[in-house]
Amino acid sequence: MSLESLMSPHRRWMQVALREAQRAYDAGDVPVGAVVVRGEHILGRGHNQVERLSDPTAHAEILAITAACATTGEKWLPDATLYVTLEPCAMCAGASVLARVERIVFGAMDAKAGAVSTLYNIPQDTRLNHYVDVLAGVEEEACASLLKTFFRKQRAHES
């Protein structure tokens, strides 16, 4: 099996996460989107709403995990994959462990707050009670480009 055929389903779901990120962008929030998937079904989706809700916890991943738990009626999400356009921060990586997702697949690296591989590796810390598989760099260019465009626009607006 080729690497391309292995990556195909991940790319498909990351495109859904990118559409969520675009919703955040359009609303003036940092463009991060997330979806929680089990098998061929989306259990939950979310996009950053920190600015809109004036809530520092309203990250795409938290909203997607909350929606997925509401869909399943369960507090844990075994056999589920969290797709997110930006490497999760410590809060979101911790929430993924607590929700017991099976896998995190993310697009762009986060040099300032990444807690899945860049600054920390919370999901794979063996001291914790759950281990989460991680796949980085899926649709990385598209994910990073949306973020760069957003911040470039923000800087131009502030000038």
Side-chain angles (χ1 to χ4, degrees), residues 50-126:
V50 172
E51 298 301 324
R52 187 174 83 74
L53 299 176
S54 295
D55 179 354
T57 69
H59 288 201
E61 302 95 319
I62 299 296
L63 298 173
I65 289 169
T66 299
C69 289
T71 296
T72 63
E74 301 289 333
K75 63 182 175 183
W76 293 324
L77 299 167
D79 304 318
T81 299
L82 170 66
Y83 291 89
V84 60
T85 57
L86 181 65
E87 178 182 1
C89 68
M91 174 181 69
C92 296
S96 299
V97 171
L98 293 172
R100 298 187 183 174
V101 300
E102 181 178 333
R103 178 179 304 106
I104 297 170
V105 177
F106 71 91
M109 304 295 271
D110 186 347
K112 293 183 179 180
V116 172
S117 62
T118 302
L119 299 177
Y120 309 101
N121 188 347
I122 292 170
Q124 297 179 331
D125 188 325
T126 57

